[in-house]
Amino acid sequence: MLANDLAEEMAGKSYGSTAGGTIGATTLSGTRAGVTTIDQYHGLVESPPATWNGVGISGAGGWTRSTTVERVLSKSPSTVTTDETGVKRITIRLSRGSTVYAKVSFLRTRSWDSSRN
């Protein structure tokens, strides 16, 4: 639930930068209300996880949710690149201590933005 909820939130955001290079780590804290692109989630670590408006999630104490956004090769999405390929892989991990209990990964394409407008 905690990983899928964030994945659904991110699915509604735009693709983000098409400039290539490394995606910078987020500076988000507290609320994600102003987030407009998936790039802005890169490096997000919440402990405990919270909703988009910064409200703590009941029962989430002791859990950590971390997010990475990486450019990947379209024909080999397990391969990370700094080149702009039009494809990004989002990975959300849910952990307690050093143990990862859940991981959700999905691909997001630049063409998805134009298809939903």
Side-chain angles (χ1 to χ4, degrees):
M1 177 184 136
L2 294 172
N4 287 337
D5 287 350
L6 186 60
E8 288 179 27
E9 175 186 323
M10 292 178 73
K13 306 301 180 186
S14 70
Y15 180 81
S17 174
T18 59
T22 303
I23 298 170
T26 189
T27 57
L28 292 174
S29 63
T31 179
R32 298 186 300 276
V35 172
T36 58
T37 73
I38 60 173
D39 292 355
Q40 292 172 286
Y41 290 88
H42 179 63
L44 177 65
V45 177
E46 299 174 295
S47 189
T51 63
W52 65 272
N53 60 353
V55 175
I57 299 171
S58 178
W63 291 96
T64 299
R65 180 168 61 185
S66 58
T67 307
T68 57
V69 179
E70 302 167 297
R71 288 182 175 82
V72 295
L73 298 178
S74 58
K75 292 184 180 182
S76 179
S78 62
T79 304
V80 176
T81 182
T82 56
D83 295 333
E84 175 52 39
T85 63
V87 181
K88 293 177 182 172
R89 182 181 64 215
I90 295 93
T91 304
I92 302 165
R93 290 177 179 81
L94 187 63
S95 59
R96 189 180 275 269
S98 61
T99 304
V100 175
Y101 287 93
K103 180 173 99 170
V104 172
S105 292
F106 63 99
L107 299 176
R108 179 65 193 288
T109 63
R110 183 175 55 229
S111 61
W112 174 249
D113 284 354
S114 59
S115 70
R116 46 184 203 131
N117 291 332

